């Protein structure tokens, strides 16, 4: 459950020592799992509306890279969040990493001396499918169609940056999370 839409009793919160401040991401899921282990309830209101303040581009980039970094970091550490959601991590959380690697392959292919009609068409189909998924998943496009190309570019960039963060984490760069402040 996302922490912005959940509520529980204060005594339950205190009984599990609140949210784990050592976690950069997934602290809300971890918290809910610990509450559920006690056979207590956390209520989630899917109809509540939460507004986040806009971040500048630097914070947007940093947040996305750190998000990707923490996904792989949780897998490496076999965190509680990962252990309870292995398939979710492998098939959903890692999509930006797969897409980042695909983009690296595409750049290398673009500069390669050989070209293959089938590989080129496969790359085009994957990109068009990805853009189509972005199009149908963005509710923003219905509200302000003129700004949609910018939104589409930012979503694309966000996914690449999450993938970059995961890629960085695989190679063991340390302390990247020190640059992140969730403000």
């Amino acid at each position: 459950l996302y922490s912005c839409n959940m509520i529980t009793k204060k005594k339950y919160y205190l009984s599990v020592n609140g949210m784990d401040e050592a976690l950069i991401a997934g602290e809300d899921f971890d918290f809910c799992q610990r509450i559920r282990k006690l056979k207590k309830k956390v209520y989630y209101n899917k109809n509540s509306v939460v507004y986040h303040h806009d971040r500048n581009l630097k914070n947007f980039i940093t947040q996305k890279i750190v998000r990707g970094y923490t996904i792989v970091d949780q897998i490496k550490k076999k965190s509680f969040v990962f252990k309870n959601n292995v398939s979710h991590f492998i098939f959903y959380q890692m999509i930006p990493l797969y897409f980042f690697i695909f983009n690296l392959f595409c750049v290398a292919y673009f500069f390669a001396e050989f070209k293959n009609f089938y590989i080129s068409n496969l790359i085009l189909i994957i990109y068009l499918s990805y853009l189509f998924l972005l199009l149908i998943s963005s509710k923003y496009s219905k509200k302000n169609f003129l700004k949609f190309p910018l939104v589409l570019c930012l979503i694309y960039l966000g996914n690449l940056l999450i993938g970059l963060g995961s890629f960085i984490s695989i190679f063991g760069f340390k302390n990247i999370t020190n640059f992140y402040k969730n403000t």
Side-chain angles (χ1 to χ4, degrees), residues 84-110:
N84 288 315
N85 273 320
V86 173
S87 62
H88 176 76
F89 269 80
I90 302 303
F91 296 111
Y92 176 70
Q93 294 287 339
M94 297 299 286
I95 287 174
L97 174 62
Y98 306 146
F99 190 65
F100 180 78
I101 293 170
F102 173 74
N103 277 274
L104 287 178
F105 168 77
C106 290
V107 169
Y109 179 76
F110 179 77

Side-chain angles (χ1 to χ4, degrees), residues 22-176:
L23 295 173
I24 303 297
E27 69 281 359
D28 42 7
F29 179 82
D30 173 72
F31 170 75
C32 289
Q33 291 300 316
R34 290 185 285 126
I35 293 284
R36 291 180 70 203
K37 269 180 120 175
L38 297 175
K39 307 278 189 229
K40 303 301 179 189
K41 293 191 180 197
V42 177
Y43 296 96
Y44 178 73
N45 181 355
K46 67 179 180 179
N47 295 322
S48 64
V49 177
V50 178
Y51 294 96
H52 293 276
H53 67 280
D54 290 336
R55 293 184 171 106
N56 63 32
L57 187 60
K58 178 185 170 214
N59 287 343
F60 170 79
I61 290 170
T62 306
Q63 178 192 28
K64 296 299 178 188
I65 291 172
V66 169
R67 167 109 170 82
Y69 183 90
T70 59
I71 291 168
V72 172
D73 196 46
Q74 287 182 31
I75 293 170
K76 287 193 276 190
K77 292 177 180 174
K78 294 182 174 79
S79 73
F80 185 72
V81 177
F82 170 69
K83 285 182 192 176
N84 288 315
N85 273 320
V86 173
S87 62
H88 176 76
F89 269 80
I90 302 303
F91 296 111
Y92 176 70
Q93 294 287 339
M94 297 299 286
I95 287 174
L97 174 62
Y98 306 146
F99 190 65
F100 180 78
I101 293 170
F102 173 74
N103 277 274
L104 287 178
F105 168 77
C106 290
V107 169
Y109 179 76
F110 179 77
F111 289 107
E113 291 187 23
F114 70 95
K115 299 288 187 258
N116 179 291
F117 174 77
Y118 296 108
I119 293 174
S120 298
N121 283 336
L122 180 62
I123 289 171
L124 183 63
I125 288 168
I126 291 171
Y127 269 117
L128 290 176
S129 299
Y130 178 75
L131 290 176
F132 177 73
L133 289 173
L134 288 181
L135 178 68
I136 63 173
S137 68
S138 175
K139 295 176 185 175
Y140 188 81
S141 61
K142 295 174 188 170
K143 294 180 181 175
N144 194 338
F145 191 75
L146 295 176
K147 290 186 179 177
F148 184 69
L150 174 64
V151 171
L152 192 66
C153 288
L154 289 173
I155 293 171
Y156 182 85
L157 175 64
N159 281 306
L160 280 180
L161 292 169
I162 292 170
L164 172 64
S166 295
F167 195 74
I168 288 169
S169 183
I170 288 171
F171 292 102
F173 291 103
K174 304 281 186 219
N175 300 328
I176 192 168

